[in-house]
Every structure is written in C-alpha cells, then in structure tokens.
Amino acid sequence: MIWTRRLLGLLLAALLTSTVLSLPSGAHAAKVTSGAVAAKKANPLYDFPKMPRKCVDPKLLIPQKPTRCNLNAFKAGRPTLVLWGDSHAWQMIPALRTAARGRNVNLVAFLMGSCPAMDPALTPAQRKAGVPACLISNDRALRFVKDLKSHHKRVHVLLGTYWQRYLHALRVGDTKSYHGQMAAYWKTAGPRLFRSLGRLRVGVDVDGQVVTVPNNAKNCFTQQYYAYSCNLPRKKAIRNEKGTKKWLKRQMHKLSGKPRYVNPNRMCNSKTCFARPEGTYYTFWDNQHISASMSRHLSYVLDKTVTRAGGKGKPHGGGPVLGGGKNGGSSGGDDGGGGFCIPLITC
C-alpha cells in the first residue's frame, strides 16, 4: 500500500481495514517491535496507543480481526468497563488506562479500524456465513456485554467512533470506500445499538467527536505525516460539531439511566484547537488521531467514566488547561469527569 498523506490521515480508518496496516489503523510501521518503540519513545512517529501484543499482530497497531482484548488483568469478581468502537476509541486507550490505574476495574476492548460501534443483529447462520469482520467484532462485543449482564456482573460501556465520518459518508452517498460500506451497515445498526444497550439497562458513556486535521489544511507536519504543529480553527478541526453532537444526543435518549456524553476536546477553546498546548506534547499523532501523550493527559475526562463503571478509590483527578495555556480551556460543554474544575472547562 502506498504511503500517501491521505491514507496516513485515515490510518486507523481506511488503513486500519486494509491488508497492510502500518501504524494505528493498520499501521504497519516497519515491523515496530517493543524494543524499537522504547528506543524511539521521544520520536512523535511512535507516540501512538499501545495494545497488548496478544491482541494485535506485531506488524499492526490495532486489531484487523475480531478480538476481545483485555487491557489489564481480567478478574471475574470486579466490575468491567468495555471500550467499544473504531480507531477513535483506540486513541483513548492511554486516557482510559491512566484513569483506571489502581481503581480495581477490568478494562476490555473490542476495537477494529474503520469499524463503527453498532448492533448488526446477526443470526446464528449469518455468523457462519462470512459476513464482514466489522460486523462480527460488534456482534461479539454485544454478546460479551449480554453475557456479563445475564450473570449479574457489573458492566459499563464506553463507546467511541469517528461519528462525523460515517454521518458524512451517508450524507454524500459514499458506497465505494471501505468506511462508506461500513456506514451503510451503521445507518440502521448504529442507532439499533443504542436501543439494544438501553433494553439491557447497561450504563453507557459516549465519547464525542474528537479533533482531526482536515485533508486540505496547511502542511505543518513535523515528520512528514506526523506531529502536526499548526493551530487550527475549531470549526475545521471538529467538523460539523453541532450536527454530530445533536445526532449523538438523540441516540443517547434511547439509553437507560443517565448516559454521559464525554467531551474530549480539551486542547481547544471556543475558536482554536492547539497543536502543542502549553508548548509541550503534540495534540496529533497523525492527521486523524491524537497522540498517546495527549490521550494520557486527557485521562481526567474519563475519571467519572471509571467511577460510573464501579472503579474504586478516588480519581486521579483534575487535568491541565490544555487549550493553549493559562486561559485556554475548552468551552465545549458537558462534564469531563476530573477531580476539580479549571477555567472554561465545564465540570
């Protein structure tokens, strides 16, 4: 597969599902080994979320086959938090791990690139008939949640998907690209998932749309396709923000209890999304995903998610003012979880 800016920009989207994944999406970063990653730790090229090797082929960064991945040691007697979705859920692994550290909760992930969270409603015959792997992955995730519920085990779900991308594919009638094909399934199976989880009375948090670098943005990549260094207007970094959020909120009405919308865009204020908040780490790893460093610094937005899942002890709490410094917090609304409020961040 040819490494073009567009493909790398879709890494965990188109690349993730293609046969030659090379970095987060299917990223096949020249056979990156754990030793190589350690050696290149300071290089933005390697600043992506890491999954346990048993969950993903060593040449890839995200599963390309349906896989249940235990992100920590699974213990039957404690609550389970299920991370479910595509590469936009994958990029939140460092945040989730940090938020859950020492809080006695299982972390289980069902992730595939270019595979939006949905309920495909497969029949036993369809499961054996060779349907797309994305449908199988989603089917297994839902069956896992149902199984825990049937055994009266505490389970909570965190959904993450590149929501705007699939909504856009449906809006423009894209049926040719892989994500367009998945969007065709998701059109009905996405809303169905919210209804299914509502009927199961499962607690759900929904990770909202996350910043990306537009394909037509100024070329400010520090390392060819990685580490974007120019600030972006919020309306371009979070495309159709209001429309996407409105769609998600409408789906969340189908959930039971008090579902929670998570705003992860704490590197933005009302007008600008900052490429290097406070002059430290880069917001973006590639043009479609945030860096592991940024994700880790966003752990406080998932503190409440872990608490809602049954995590014990106090959250690690709080978080830096990411939006460009002293007065640069996000104005995007919806609670972020952490232990204390900071300027311009809704608590």
Side-chain angles (χ1 to χ4, degrees), residues 142-331:
L142 184 56
R143 292 169 70 189
F144 176 75
V145 172
K146 286 182 177 179
D147 182 66
L148 289 177
K149 287 289 291 185
S150 68
H151 288 87
H152 307 289
K153 303 294 185 180
R154 186 165 181 173
V155 58
H156 193 89
V157 171
L158 173 60
L159 298 176
T161 288
Y162 194 169
W163 311 106
Q164 183 271 339
R165 185 168 185 77
Y166 301 103
L167 289 171
H168 177 74
L170 293 175
R171 187 162 52 248
V172 301
D174 176 9
T175 59
K176 295 183 179 180
S177 70
Y178 184 83
H179 72 264
Q181 294 170 34
M182 292 303 101
Y185 290 109
W186 182 74
K187 181 178 181 179
T188 55
R192 184 190 296 129
L193 175 61
F194 288 87
R195 294 194 297 270
S196 297
L197 293 175
R199 286 193 295 268
L200 285 172
R201 302 187 67 80
V202 172
V204 179
D205 283 27
V206 178
D207 197 31
Q209 180 182 352
V210 186
V211 293
T212 58
V213 179
N215 288 335
N216 61 354
K218 182 180 178 181
N219 188 348
C220 295
F221 290 97
T222 302
Q223 293 202 13
Q224 193 173 7
Y225 307 112
Y226 305 95
Y228 196 77
S229 60
C230 289
N231 296 336
L232 293 165
R234 183 179 181 118
K235 64 181 179 180
K236 292 185 177 181
I238 315 176
R239 286 163 289 177
N240 192 26
E241 181 176 10
K242 290 183 179 179
T244 302
K245 184 176 179 180
K246 183 178 179 180
W247 183 90
L248 279 172
K249 291 282 191 174
R250 187 166 64 247
Q251 305 310 316
M252 290 172 67
H253 287 314
K254 304 167 186 174
L255 299 170
S256 64
K258 296 181 179 180
R260 174 173 173 259
Y261 180 92
V262 179
N263 168 26
N265 298 306
R266 304 311 173 89
M267 66 294 289
C268 307
N269 61 23
S270 61
K271 295 183 178 181
T272 304
C273 291
F274 297 91
R276 296 196 71 180
E278 300 178 340
T280 55
Y281 43 87
Y282 291 92
T283 290
F284 299 100
W285 171 58
D286 69 349
N287 60 333
Q288 294 295 309
H289 307 92
I290 62 174
S291 68
S293 295
M294 172 56 76
S295 179
R296 202 169 293 111
H297 279 81
L298 291 174
S299 67
Y300 67 101
V301 305
L302 297 182
D303 278 343
K304 185 180 287 188
T305 300
V306 174
T307 298
R308 282 163 50 82
K312 304 298 182 182
K314 293 182 179 181
H316 300 291
V321 180
L322 297 176
K326 184 176 180 180
N327 298 311
S330 168
S331 64

Side-chain angles (χ1 to χ4, degrees), residues 3 11-12 15-16 20-29 59-62 285:
W3 282 94
L11 262 177
L12 288 188
L15 259 179
L16 278 185
V20 190
L21 296 178
S22 137
L23 282 174
S25 284
H28 109 195
K59 297 178 182 179
L60 309 179
L61 299 184
I62 188 172
W285 171 58

Side-chain angles (χ1 to χ4, degrees), residues 119-149:
D119 173 9
L122 298 182
T123 65
Q126 288 174 320
R127 293 184 184 114
K128 299 178 181 179
V131 296
C134 176
L135 304 191
I136 297 296
S137 179
N138 277 287
D139 181 67
R140 290 182 181 178
L142 184 56
R143 292 169 70 189
F144 176 75
V145 172
K146 286 182 177 179
D147 182 66
L148 289 177
K149 287 289 291 185

Side-chain angles (χ1 to χ4, degrees), residues 39-116:
K40 298 286 187 177
K41 188 174 182 180
N43 190 331
L45 175 64
Y46 298 87
D47 196 10
F48 52 80
K50 313 304 188 298
M51 295 186 71
R53 286 295 82 186
K54 65 178 65 176
C55 299
V56 62
D57 186 286
K59 297 178 182 179
L60 309 179
L61 299 184
I62 188 172
Q64 198 179 359
K65 298 178 180 179
T67 302
R68 167 189 162 182
C69 182
N70 295 335
L71 297 176
N72 61 0
F74 189 90
K75 298 179 182 179
R78 65 183 184 180
T80 298
L81 175 52
V82 178
L83 177 64
W84 182 348
D86 61 9
S87 63
H88 275 221
W90 166 86
Q91 67 185 347
M92 298 303 290
I93 287 177
L96 185 59
R97 279 178 164 161
T98 302
R101 187 175 62 240
R103 302 192 62 198
N104 199 33
V105 61
N106 296 320
L107 300 180
V108 176
F110 288 87
L111 305 171
M112 284 186 65
S114 296
C115 182

